[in-house]
Amino acid sequence: MRTREYGQFCGLARAAEVLGQRWTILIVRDLLVGPRRYSDLLAGLPGIPTNVLASRLKELEEDGLVVREARAGSDRSVVYRVTARAEELRTALDALGRWGAAGMREPREGEFVTDASLVGSLRVAGQGRTPPRRRQVTYEVRVGPAVVNATVARGEITVAPGPGSAPDLVISGGPGFRDVLAGVLDADAAVATGAVELSGDESLFADFQATFSVPYSATLAL
């Protein structure tokens, strides 16, 4: 059953009516990374019941945020993609993601990282930063089963799911990778403590850390 109406003529109340159902925001997050088949969404949202995913997608279609379409070429599989209306949510969801990440420490039991969540994490971590203006650099980041690539070129940052094409540096980490983004571990300490393993041009790791940062909340640290 959809979220009930709040009885208020208010933009925030209306947004909560559309996005307030469990799993809805995460479905939109995954689709903002790129079009996905139903099976892709199901695999990227472990724990979501199939009937709930089907219901949420139907609701998002009715609200004009998602459309279904057949892929071009030989692969005629049906995928879901976001509309321009849903694209308007990207900035808001990035802000919520950054706010939530500031309060994260160790993952809770049963929690792990997905490709879409790691793309979102690096995207918000790079916002407001000034990347070094050197040649184009491609990083491949692996955290548990998630693999994404991030390209920094001429001060611009692009993050996408999947391995990089001939990455300059591959960074593999576990739960301690959050401390790297928070600045708790500097480049040398991250390697020395085993929070990350590096492959490729290790001198670029300091640049990576300077480019991607989401500090822990000072309030929660007290």
Side-chain angles (χ1 to χ4, degrees), residues 3-4 14 18 31 34 36 56 60 78 89 92 132 143 150 152 156 161 164 180-181 185 190 205 215:
T3 303
R4 296 189 179 191
R14 200 60 53 87
V18 175
L31 290 177
R36 298 193 173 208
R56 296 294 179 265
L60 288 167
V78 174
L89 290 167
V143 180
V152 181
E156 298 293 328
V180 175
L181 295 182
L185 294 174
F205 186 49

Side-chain angles (χ1 to χ4, degrees), residues 80-194:
Y80 294 85
R81 67 166 178 83
V82 293
T83 63
R85 176 69 168 160
E87 282 285 353
E88 296 174 0
L89 290 167
R90 188 184 296 274
T91 300
L93 295 189
D94 282 352
L96 281 173
R98 188 175 186 87
W99 181 85
M104 293 168 56
R105 294 296 189 274
E106 295 291 324
R108 292 177 294 206
E109 184 177 355
E111 289 185 332
F112 59 91
V113 179
T114 67
D115 287 359
S117 66
L118 187 54
V119 167
S121 296
L122 291 182
R123 191 171 63 230
V124 301
Q127 291 175 357
R129 312 295 291 182
T130 304
R133 288 185 173 276
R134 60 163 72 207
R135 62 182 174 82
Q136 176 174 306
V137 176
T138 299
Y139 303 100
E140 182 174 297
V141 181
R142 299 174 172 268
V143 180
V147 183
V148 306
N149 65 88
T151 299
V152 181
R154 297 178 295 279
E156 298 293 328
I157 300 170
T158 304
V159 186
S165 176
D168 300 287
L169 176 65
V170 178
I171 305 167
S172 302
F177 185 71
R178 178 67 188 91
D179 287 340
V180 175
L181 295 182
V184 174
L185 294 174
D186 62 23
D188 292 337
V191 174
T193 60

Side-chain angles (χ1 to χ4, degrees), residues 3-18:
T3 303
R4 296 189 179 191
E5 296 178 359
Y6 290 98
Q8 297 186 28
F9 192 61
C10 164
L12 186 59
R14 200 60 53 87
E17 291 172 9
V18 175

